Amino acid sequence: MGQINYSLRVWDLMKDASVNAESILMEFGIQSKLSRLQSRALLQIFIQKAIRLSDLAIIMGVNSGNLSRVCQSLENAGFIQRERSLQDRREWLISLTEKGKKTTNKIVRVIQKSFESFREDHSEEELDQLIRLWTEYSQCFNKHSNSQHNGYGQ
């Protein structure tokens, strides 16, 4: 397979993975009366433990103004809380409440269940290799994407 075919195949697999992940979050959101973006935000906050809104927006690739409204609705519904950062009192950190943790644990279980059959069919070494290669690809893609956004690499 030539370089172009590899690139296009990996691109296609990346798109499929993204669509499948979004589909899982959308299905969960319908059951939980959360938007897909709210579900994604809860999951990222769960992964990060406590995070600034601006950092969450970067990780999610979402406009911070839109994300601020999403977080406000999650806070009003009791899923998240905002607390002053101990390192910088000007900063606010977002974290999950108990209700948010319970809900996010349900999201994690749905993700784990969707991955179960794949995990059963592959060794730990294969899964480690998949994660390592996907991480390398993601870092390479992010580096290229960032250079494009900064006006480099054109």
Side-chain angles (χ1 to χ4, degrees), residues 25-26 28-39 42 74 77 79 103 107:
L25 290 177
M26 190 180 323
F28 177 83
I30 290 169
Q31 296 168 6
S32 303
K33 298 188 177 20
L34 293 169
S35 73
R36 188 180 43 139
L37 192 55
Q38 288 173 320
S39 297
L42 287 175
L74 288 170
F79 290 105
T103 301
I107 297 172

Side-chain angles (χ1 to χ4, degrees), residues 140-150:
C140 178
F141 188 78
N142 286 339
K143 189 185 314 180
H144 176 75
S145 179
N146 290 337
S147 70
Q148 291 293 334
H149 291 299
N150 294 327

